[in-house]
Amino acid sequence: MHFNPYGGPAAQVAAGLVNMPGASAADLLRMMRDAGMSLTRLTDADAAEARAWGRRLRPVFAEPDPDRRIDLVNDLLAETACRPFISRHDGLPAHLHYAAEDAALPPRIRAFTAGGLAHLLCEDGGRLGTCGRDGCDVVFVDTSRNGRRRFCSTRCATRVHVAEHRARAS
């Protein structure tokens, strides 16, 4: 499924922050770049703030009630006080950002991820999830065609299906 830049990459960064609570600044920077966020640096202090923000994002993924999920994202948006800016950088055509280009990184990360989750909830709020395997707390953005993903990975899905098969066979 194709999402706009905020609903896709930004929501993926949000999931990455939730899933990497103990990650180093270098690992977080790599994840954010891989998801499409253009950053050149991330200090240890910035990384600490990003990890703390990831803890704030987790309830959005875990909330099963769509209305409550929207309330949680609205609270995050209010906290970020994000405002749209048209940005031109890195040779890209003009595009929308929710924080000024010269803003400090932690507020930019918060605005990017809160805006991304808001876009995604407006497009298809059922695309956020937490792995359905007991004991796994990995969150994900469902980019599958049918939007029915239940597990964070094939590995977790296989474990659940094998356990269900064994339970039926006994």
Side-chain angles (χ1 to χ4, degrees), residues 46-68:
D46 294 337
E49 286 193 51
R51 289 188 298 269
W53 182 248
R55 290 188 293 276
R56 297 282 317 282
L57 296 172
R58 178 173 286 285
V60 174
F61 288 86
E63 179 57 56
D65 180 273
D67 289 330
R68 180 68 186 126

Side-chain angles (χ1 to χ4, degrees), residues 37 46 49 80 82 98-99 103-113:
M37 197 171 180
D46 294 337
E49 286 193 51
T80 65
C82 60
Y98 283 136
L105 281 179
R108 283 178 49 208
I109 292 167
R110 289 190 298 268
F112 185 67
T113 54

Side-chain angles (χ1 to χ4, degrees), residues 10 15 23 31 36 38 40 68 75 82 84-86 88-89 92 118 144 149 154 156 162 165:
M31 177 274 296
S38 26
T40 56
R68 180 68 186 126
D75 290 345
C82 60
F85 289 87
I86 298 174
R88 299 172 303 260
H89 61 84
L92 298 171
S144 68
R149 185 171 164 188
T154 304
C156 278
V162 166
H165 173 75

Side-chain angles (χ1 to χ4, degrees), residues 92-165:
L92 298 171
H95 57 282
L96 193 64
H97 278 206
Y98 283 136
E101 290 177 37
D102 59 351
L105 281 179
R108 283 178 49 208
I109 292 167
R110 289 190 298 268
F112 185 67
T113 54
L117 292 172
H119 274 281
L120 183 56
L121 288 179
C122 290
E123 288 180 16
D124 188 346
R127 298 275 179 168
L128 297 176
T130 302
C131 186
R133 183 177 69 82
D134 287 339
C136 183
D137 62 351
V138 172
V139 303
F140 57 86
V141 176
D142 184 354
T143 57
S144 68
R145 176 173 268 181
N146 67 7
R148 297 185 188 273
R149 185 171 164 188
R150 292 181 26 219
F151 302 100
C152 68
S153 65
T154 304
R155 180 182 218 176
C156 278
T158 300
R159 285 182 177 176
V160 168
H161 293 109
V162 166
E164 289 171 349
H165 173 75

Side-chain angles (χ1 to χ4, degrees), residues 70-87:
I70 288 170
D71 291 341
L72 291 171
V73 171
N74 278 334
D75 290 345
L76 295 173
L77 287 168
E79 184 177 327
T80 65
C82 60
R83 297 183 349 212
F85 289 87
I86 298 174
S87 182

